Amino acid sequence: LNAARKEAKLLLRGSECNASLLHTQAPTLFRCVLETTRLTSHSLGALRYVKKAIVLDTESNNSYRIGTGETIAISHICSHRNEDIWENAENYDMNRAEWDLADKFGQPVDIYKMTAFSQGTHKCPGERVALVLMEIMLAALIDRDASLCGALPAVSFERAT
């Protein structure tokens, strides 16, 4: 928390702040934003229409037929909490080795591993802006010693954005 407070002061009061380099100027805040995004990304994304019917077989010997024209969606939360993809996937760990792999523009990890902003031609064009805004907002909350008043509201994954 001390490192995050120091970085928050730098971002909010420093005259040398460069928004395109926030992840290098404030690595603790950047890691917090990436890990929080990984664990809380909306439940459904990448809606697609099936062009050719297929049958999916599961490890539990169930088969599912997906017909032509049906809508399918990728669940980001399932892949982000999958132990085959992320070590200790259910745990919040802002010190994951993956966060060290972010490129100079703040593009996080393997493009198929971190899908909070989707990938390919449908990738969110506002990803970098969103990451910067989350980092600045986190800095402002830490700088002001913000805390929650009362209990957290119930989380609903029935609605995706």
Side-chain angles (χ1 to χ4, degrees):
L1 188 56
N2 288 334
R5 282 191 175 122
K6 184 177 179 182
E7 291 171 11
K9 286 185 192 322
L10 171 75
L11 292 182
L12 299 173
R13 295 184 184 92
S15 59
E16 299 289 320
C17 184
N18 181 337
S20 66
L21 297 174
L22 278 179
H23 65 285
T24 58
Q25 293 176 335
T28 306
L29 296 175
F30 185 65
R31 289 167 168 271
C32 288
V33 166
L34 290 177
E35 184 67 357
T36 300
T37 303
R38 181 187 72 83
L39 285 172
T40 62
S41 58
H42 60 79
S43 58
L44 294 177
L47 296 171
R48 303 291 182 269
Y49 295 104
V50 176
K51 289 184 176 184
K52 181 179 175 184
I54 60 170
V55 175
L56 299 175
D57 295 317
T58 68
E59 292 178 5
S60 57
N61 295 321
N62 292 320
S63 293
Y64 297 94
R65 183 182 182 284
I66 304 172
T68 302
E70 288 188 74
T71 303
I72 60 171
I74 294 171
S75 173
H76 300 293
I77 210 76
C78 287
S79 64
H80 291 166
R81 294 187 175 196
N82 184 326
E83 294 285 335
D84 292 333
I85 299 172
W86 295 91
E87 186 177 332
N88 300 313
E90 288 288 328
N91 297 336
Y92 183 92
D93 180 4
M94 62 178 239
N95 294 313
R96 291 183 183 280
E98 288 87 353
W99 304 147
D100 291 331
L101 302 175
D103 72 15
K104 67 180 182 173
F105 299 110
Q107 173 66 42
V109 257
D110 179 316
I111 62 169
Y112 298 106
K113 190 170 188 175
M114 178 68 163
T115 63
F117 292 92
S118 201
Q119 296 304 338
T121 58
H122 299 282
K123 184 171 183 63
C124 175
E127 175 185 23
R128 290 187 181 133
V129 172
L131 290 170
V132 167
L133 289 174
M134 285 186 277
E135 200 168 340
I136 291 170
M137 181 55 73
L138 178 60
L141 292 170
I142 289 172
D143 187 59
R144 289 165 178 77
D145 285 324
S147 61
L148 297 173
C149 296
L152 289 173
V155 176
S156 171
F157 291 106
E158 294 174 6
R159 187 178 147 266
T161 57

